[in-house]
Amino acid sequence: MTSLLTLADERFISLTTFRDSGQPVSTPVWVSRDGEAIVVLTPADSGKVKRLRRDPRVQVTPCGRFGKVSEDAQPVAGTAELRERPADVERARALIRSAYPLESRVVLGIERLVERLRGRPRKTRLALYIQEAPLDAL
């Protein structure tokens, strides 16, 4: 059985949130650990944030870079807490940067460059702190 905290050692996890209808929506994300929680950094205007504001239940599963989950992967149920305070977001950003030193700088750097070229403001990000919940909680 996979525990939530062991998923912080994965390169990518599939983060599943739930629509109003209960339909799952999965997204591959970078992950790190902060104490007894795993941490994800995400744009504040993302679909997952909208869904989590309504329903904090999540399911996380190890996956590949493009979200492919292997048949033998074990999902872990969790509850996500949205954290918007700048100190929480900066802590999450630092944790992600330490886990993905090159990738985070390249990907987020390209994102900022595209925003500047298009004359758009920098994306606001939120930290998701996910703690384990019983699988039957889903």
Side-chain angles (χ1 to χ4, degrees), residues 8-25:
D9 297 330
E10 297 289 334
R11 293 301 295 157
F12 300 93
I13 61 167
S14 176
L15 174 65
T16 302
T17 55
F18 300 91
R19 292 189 171 135
D20 285 335
S21 65
Q23 180 181 3
V25 179

Side-chain angles (χ1 to χ4, degrees), residues 1-67:
M1 180 173 185
T2 305
S3 79
L4 182 78
L5 296 178
T6 62
L7 292 176
D9 297 330
E10 297 289 334
R11 293 301 295 157
F12 300 93
I13 61 167
S14 176
L15 174 65
T16 302
T17 55
F18 300 91
R19 292 189 171 135
D20 285 335
S21 65
Q23 180 181 3
V25 179
S26 299
T27 309
V29 294
W30 290 333
V31 62
S32 189
R33 180 178 176 173
D34 191 3
E36 295 300 309
I38 61 172
V39 181
V40 172
L41 195 63
T42 190
D45 63 352
S46 68
K48 69 180 89 54
V49 168
K50 293 173 189 170
R51 290 185 293 275
L52 288 170
R53 287 194 190 284
R54 185 189 46 73
D55 183 353
R57 296 175 307 131
V58 297
Q59 183 173 308
V60 291
T61 313
C63 71
R65 178 179 304 277
F66 300 107

